[in-house]
Amino acid sequence: MRVLVTGATGYIGGRLVPRLVEAGHEVRAIVRRPERLRTVPWARDVEVVGGDLTDAAAVDAAMRGIDTVYYLVHSMGGRGDFEDVELEIAGNVAESARRSGVGRIVYLGGLHPGEGELSRHLRSRVRVGEVLMSSGVPTIVLQAGVIIGSGSTSFEMIRHLTEVLPYMPAPRWVRNFIQPIAVRDVLHYLVAAARVPERVNRTFDIGGPDVLRYGQLMNGYAVEAGLRQRPIAALPVLTPWLAGQWVNLVTPIPRRLAVPIIESLQFDCVARDHDIDRVIPPPAGGLTPYRRAVRLALERERAGEVETSWQNTEVVGAPSDPLPSDPEWAGYRVYTDVRERECSAPAASLWSVIEGVGGTNGWYSFPLAWAIRGWIDKLAGGVGLRRGRRDPARLRAGDAVDFWRVERVAPPGDRPGFLRLRAEMRVPGRAWLEMSAEPAGQGSRYRQRAVFFPRGLAGRLYWWAVFPFHGIVFAGMANRITSEAEAGPSSTGAEVTNR
């Protein structure tokens, strides 16, 4: 079967694609930035096409010859008109699928109560499902609640709230009932949906075998993580907005992701029927209980086997354009900070230090300054420095590294090893950080360049305000990276976390 996947760079899409390939399907993925998929393990097994889902012509081109479409895109924050944008995108996909003779659309929506006012994000998901089901193309809408898996936003929020707070003052929604589902079970339903008979056109609730209060989810995590269970006090005064600020400050989850999740927890979210069992049988061995799903997620993280993560979700409001080539800077105000160092270690050793930057390894200089910058970003509603990275040793294009995004990564070979990071912290302008490792004689040469395009007067004042720290932060970073490479592997790793 020929399958088109939208949202292949997302948390679910990035895990679904290789499973569709394994199931024997021919997979095509449409993404705005094809370079983000060039280094994923399954890149050679699929056809990747570039295109924006708001562009009807691009959607039509991607839809040619397709039997089944997976619709896995959804906005978690950002512009105030996101509901209109999502309906426009859904309409483009639905109309194109109808014109192209597609036999099935599969959409992953959100579990929601049958009555009462929904949050904007849940309401938008419901409306998108309605647009797809009214397209004339048979559509299956799978409505899932809290998804538990290594790297999922919901799992990370539960984990950090539980680990950080020995006592949890919480909003009333911690008493609401939730039906979590393991990510492996979500993927089971998604893969199987491609082969459901075409006459089926409806929504299906999906959930795991446990119905728990949100507070029980937190203490269930505590048990599996070897922590003491947390006393939880439900307070009537915390609104979703205030709770979002609280989650933003005490966890790595940015406000724009925390608020929609919290808004969706204002009511009980439990599957209202189990009709899905008549169409798609449960996985062999049954659905995954909540605590086992937590245990599996922790095992995957400890083994460094996180396939996809919330960390790599695009940050709305962050610079979205790649760094222009130097000649295109003409006519723009651009500030740069360039550092070069000779290194006695080979380029491969220098590159291993560069590729390990961020996360638990830190930034190799003035950790207090980096920590303060991270807290300032969190207070401004950004992702902060605690977002970490998907893999402790390897990077690929599109990965998040704390408050940076990997724009380009190329290990050393015929050319120097090169890493470019695009800033996603809140700054009045656009910023990048580049690092490279080039063979030079018996050793190597390290080159580091920070680039900043200021926005208005605020951007210029920002650059000059932080300029005095560059001599400490950037120079120290260049010195420490080269010294780490020269010292060898024994000096890297756990010790770097203190830098």
Side-chain angles (χ1 to χ4, degrees):
M1 186 178 294
R2 292 161 296 182
V3 173
L4 175 67
V5 177
T6 68
T9 59
Y11 178 74
I12 294 294
R15 298 188 180 212
L16 176 65
V17 168
R19 287 160 177 80
L20 291 173
V21 172
E22 185 179 354
H25 300 297
E26 297 178 29
V27 180
R28 179 184 298 160
I30 177 171
V31 292
R32 284 180 296 174
R33 297 194 188 106
E35 64 273 11
R36 289 194 61 185
L37 296 182
R38 286 175 186 160
T39 53
V40 297
W42 40 265
R44 296 184 179 180
D45 300 324
V46 304
E47 177 188 358
V48 178
V49 298
D52 194 306
L53 295 180
T54 60
D55 182 351
V59 176
D60 283 344
M63 204 74 68
R64 292 191 188 105
I66 293 297
D67 301 307
T68 298
V69 175
Y70 282 89
Y71 191 91
L72 302 175
V73 293
H74 178 64
S75 171
M76 288 288 282
R79 304 185 326 194
D81 63 344
F82 78 90
E83 289 182 273
D84 295 333
V85 174
E86 290 197 334
L87 290 178
E88 176 191 354
I89 291 173
N92 279 347
V93 172
E95 180 61 22
S96 179
R98 184 191 61 78
R99 288 195 303 264
S100 302
V102 170
R104 161 73 60 207
I105 297 175
V106 181
Y107 171 52
L108 182 62
L111 195 61
H112 59 277
E115 299 178 354
E117 184 177 354
L118 300 177
S119 70
R120 292 183 66 203
H121 289 270
L122 276 179
R123 185 173 67 228
S124 178
R125 289 194 172 193
V126 170
R127 290 176 176 174
V128 166
E130 291 170 348
V131 169
L132 297 175
M133 286 189 293
S134 63
S135 64
V137 178
T139 298
I140 287 180
V141 177
L142 298 173
Q143 299 180 147
V146 172
I147 296 176
I148 303 300
S150 57
S152 78
T153 311
S154 298
F155 175 73
E156 290 299 314
M157 196 168 91
I158 293 168
R159 175 167 73 166
H160 286 281
L161 286 174
T162 307
E163 291 184 348
V164 171
L165 302 172
Y167 171 79
M168 178 66 176
R172 285 176 296 183
W173 47 257
V174 296
R175 294 176 175 169
N176 291 345
F177 286 101
I178 309 294
Q179 190 165 359
I181 183 169
V183 66
R184 59 178 53 205
D185 294 338
V186 174
L187 294 170
H188 163 79
Y189 286 121
L190 285 170
V191 172
R195 301 195 184 279
V196 170
E198 289 187 0
R199 65 179 180 274
V200 178
N201 184 66
R202 57 161 293 186
T203 63
F204 293 95
D205 291 350
I206 59 173
D210 300 316
V211 176
L212 305 167
R213 297 184 189 274
Y214 196 85
Q216 291 177 303
L217 264 63
M218 295 175 61
N219 277 322
Y221 171 87
V223 171
E224 293 301 327
L227 303 172
R228 294 171 58 185
Q229 295 194 44
R230 302 323 198 202
I232 299 173
L235 304 178
V237 295
L238 286 180
T239 66
W241 186 87
L242 285 174
Q245 316 313 305
W246 177 242
V247 170
N248 173 64
L249 289 176
V250 302
T251 80
I253 310 299
R255 186 163 57 218
R256 73 173 193 87
L257 294 180
V259 171
I261 292 175
I262 290 169
E263 287 178 342
S264 69
L265 298 174
Q266 300 307 301
F267 306 95
D268 292 344
C269 285
V270 178
R272 287 170 286 169
D273 60 62
H274 299 280
D275 293 352
I276 188 66
D277 293 341
R278 298 201 301 265
V279 179
I280 301 175
L287 294 165
T288 309
Y290 169 70
R291 282 181 51 182
R292 182 167 183 266
V294 171
R295 195 179 316 134
L296 291 169
L298 290 173
E299 289 173 357
R300 294 294 293 268
E301 290 191 349
R302 290 164 183 160
E305 298 175 349
V306 180
E307 293 179 70
T308 58
S309 172
W310 72 271
Q311 299 164 324
N312 294 336
T313 303
E314 291 285 356
V315 176
V316 177
S320 58
D321 297 327
L323 177 63
S325 61
D326 292 11
E328 295 173 342
W329 290 1
Y332 289 91
R333 163 57 68 184
V334 181
Y335 296 111
T336 63
D337 183 283
V338 179
R339 312 277 171 169
E340 292 189 359
R341 299 289 187 274
E342 299 298 319
C343 181
S344 62
S349 299
L350 178 58
W351 174 254
S352 67
V353 179
I354 293 172
E355 195 174 14
V357 73
T360 57
N361 283 345
W363 293 88
Y364 300 103
S365 71
F366 205 172
L368 179 60
W370 287 99
I372 291 173
R373 187 63 184 86
W375 273 107
I376 291 173
D377 195 55
K378 290 294 285 182
L379 288 170
V383 294
L385 199 65
R386 293 172 57 202
R387 182 166 58 164
R389 44 183 289 163
R390 177 190 56 83
D391 186 287
R394 297 289 178 264
L395 293 175
R396 60 194 189 202
D399 275 2
V401 182
D402 297 330
F403 44 40
W404 303 88
R405 175 82 55 184
V406 178
E407 187 171 280
R408 182 183 165 201
V409 58
D414 295 336
R415 298 182 178 181
F418 181 80
L419 174 64
R420 177 184 293 149
L421 304 173
R422 185 179 72 246
E424 290 191 334
M425 77 281 281
R426 304 281 180 165
V427 291
R430 298 183 293 158
W432 292 264
L433 178 62
E434 297 177 338
M435 292 171 276
S436 65
E438 179 182 4
Q442 298 299 312
S444 56
R445 179 178 296 107
Y446 174 74
R447 188 172 191 269
Q448 173 183 296
R449 182 173 73 159
V451 180
F452 182 65
F453 282 60
R455 183 175 62 248
L457 177 62
R460 288 161 171 78
L461 292 176
Y462 171 82
W463 175 264
W464 291 113
V466 300
F467 184 77
F469 298 97
H470 290 177
I472 302 173
V473 174
F474 289 139
M477 187 175 179
N479 292 337
R480 199 57 179 263
I481 285 177
T482 51
S483 65
E484 290 291 340
E486 292 170 344
S490 61
S491 69
T492 59
E495 295 181 9
V496 182
T497 61
N498 297 321
R499 299 176 188 128

